[in-house]
Amino acid sequence: MKTMNVSVVTPDGKVFDGDVEMVSVKTINGGLGILPNHIPLVTPLTIGAVRIKKGSDITLVAVTGGLMEVRGDQVSILAESAELPSDIDISRARAAKERAERRLEQAIKDDIDFKRAEMALKRAINRLDVAERK
């Protein structure tokens, strides 16, 4: 089967780089699957798991926003942050989720920083979801 190169890069460096058959992402407009020879595209990403498929192997990457650019058989994901399941400390992720839930409760009561608390909770849930599905 035809492949394309996919790279996931953060300000801290490259998280993933390889030739794959398909990549699925979560954009601000919904889910999107990219196969080789996809039309050129640039789209913003939301918090979610990037699903990278090669043969029967599936690699998940927890991504916190960013951009995806598709050009020819090259897919570049420039993410604010990205982690492979093996790099996620599950106990720290659970603690972050609990903190975010408390912060969200407080934000609702005090009517402050609701959006920030909500985004922290989404990031924590995404990291846990990716880490626990490995």
Side-chain angles (χ1 to χ4, degrees), residues 24-42:
S24 300
V25 296
K26 194 173 180 183
T27 74
I28 61 170
N29 295 315
L32 183 62
I34 305 294
L35 295 169
N37 297 319
H38 195 281
I39 62 169
L41 168 77
V42 174

Side-chain angles (χ1 to χ4, degrees), residues 97-127:
K97 179 180 178 265
E98 290 168 8
R99 277 193 313 275
E101 288 170 337
R102 286 192 303 274
R103 207 174 305 133
L104 186 59
E105 259 180 47
Q106 193 63 40
I108 291 169
K109 281 186 211 173
D110 297 342
D111 196 30
I112 55 168
D113 272 344
F114 177 81
K115 190 68 173 171
R116 183 174 172 205
E118 181 183 41
M119 295 305 285
L121 181 57
K122 285 181 181 181
R123 285 190 301 272
I125 289 170
N126 180 49
R127 291 179 72 234

